Amino acid sequence: MKLYYSPASPFARKVHVTLIELGMQDAVELLFTPVLPGKPIEDYVKSQNPLGKIPALQIDSGETLFDSTIICEYLDSISPATRLLPAEGIQRYRTLTRQALAHGICESVVAIRYETFLRPEERQWDVWIADQWSKADRALSWFETHQPLWQGDIDLAQITLGCALGYLDFRAPEHDWRSNHPILQHWFETFSQRESFQATLPHA
């Protein structure tokens, strides 16, 4: 299999961490694929993902899966050992819902990054940026106040949350999410020491 990814992307990191946690990293070739708004890679768009987004996973049949959550679900379904998602029932959908909330934090912070890094300062939309921060902060507060619902054995929701917090540290250290979220801070201090997280630290 081949994973098209960038080490700076929290979505690609989610898949990379999942591979390591499932013990499947040796079964996948990592292909660095830098993707920026307005600068699509034509070969990648034509052959892998028409949306021009990463990550994408080309499986052994030659088909390509895209969207990080779908890729993680697929990898979990073929894993010979550890499972990161309950196989069925309401527990599966509760985990996926928590995963979607953490994924939304990534989406908001990535959107802020594009707005503030790529757009000239005089053209940036401050109200929209503030709205994105509000979404991310509300999601962080949910995890802070609902910790019994998601702490425990590692799952895809925790992986996604860890990637979201790591991306905040990487791209927006000035936001200081730790000040208002001591429970998340304590959890992340431990969780981020996992081999899978240390091996996938984001970088430009």
Side-chain angles (χ1 to χ4, degrees):
M1 295 187 287
K2 297 178 181 180
L3 178 66
Y4 297 85
Y5 89 117
S6 167
S9 165
F11 310 112
R13 188 185 190 191
K14 178 171 77 173
V15 175
H16 196 181
V17 170
T18 294
L19 282 169
I20 295 172
E21 290 290 344
L22 293 175
M24 299 175 66
Q25 62 269 39
D26 292 338
V28 178
E29 178 185 1
L30 301 178
L31 298 175
F32 175 59
T33 309
V35 174
L36 288 173
K39 298 179 180 179
I41 302 174
E42 293 299 329
D43 290 344
Y44 176 72
V45 170
K46 290 178 181 178
S47 64
Q48 303 302 329
N49 185 351
L51 297 174
K53 295 181 177 182
I54 52 172
L57 180 72
Q58 186 179 79
I59 61 178
D60 292 336
S61 67
E63 298 174 78
T64 300
L65 307 179
F66 39 84
D67 181 86
S68 59
T69 304
I70 290 173
I71 295 171
C72 290
E73 286 193 68
Y74 172 75
L75 293 171
D76 194 62
S77 74
I78 64 172
S79 169
T82 304
R83 296 298 297 267
L84 298 174
L85 283 168
E88 58 187 4
I90 189 61
Q91 291 299 331
R92 178 180 181 86
Y93 297 101
R94 286 172 178 160
T95 303
L96 284 171
T97 296
R98 293 192 294 272
Q99 187 281 148
L101 186 61
H103 187 96
I105 297 171
C106 296
E107 290 180 326
S108 288
V109 182
V110 167
I112 292 166
R113 168 70 176 174
Y114 285 163
E115 178 74 9
T116 57
F117 182 72
L118 297 176
R119 189 185 288 270
E121 186 174 357
E122 67 274 11
R123 293 173 178 256
Q124 293 174 16
W125 190 3
D126 293 341
V127 173
W128 183 86
I129 293 171
D131 186 52
Q132 295 302 316
W133 276 126
S134 292
K135 292 178 182 180
D137 288 336
R138 288 195 299 268
L140 290 172
S141 294
W142 187 94
F143 281 109
E144 179 75 10
T145 56
H146 291 79
Q147 71 274 10
L149 297 181
W150 56 269
Q151 290 194 22
D153 294 339
I154 187 172
D155 59 19
L156 185 57
Q158 291 184 28
I159 288 173
T160 310
L161 178 60
C163 290
L165 298 177
Y167 191 73
L168 277 165
D169 285 348
F170 177 53
R171 290 301 195 198
E174 72 284 353
H175 193 64
D176 188 24
W177 60 267
R178 289 171 172 79
S179 293
N180 295 319
H181 306 96
I183 293 174
L184 274 180
Q185 177 186 359
H186 178 73
W187 173 81
F188 188 62
E189 285 176 355
T190 300
F191 193 80
S192 62
Q193 295 307 307
R194 297 183 71 89
E195 179 182 350
S196 60
F197 266 73
Q198 290 297 306
T200 59
L201 291 172
H203 57 87

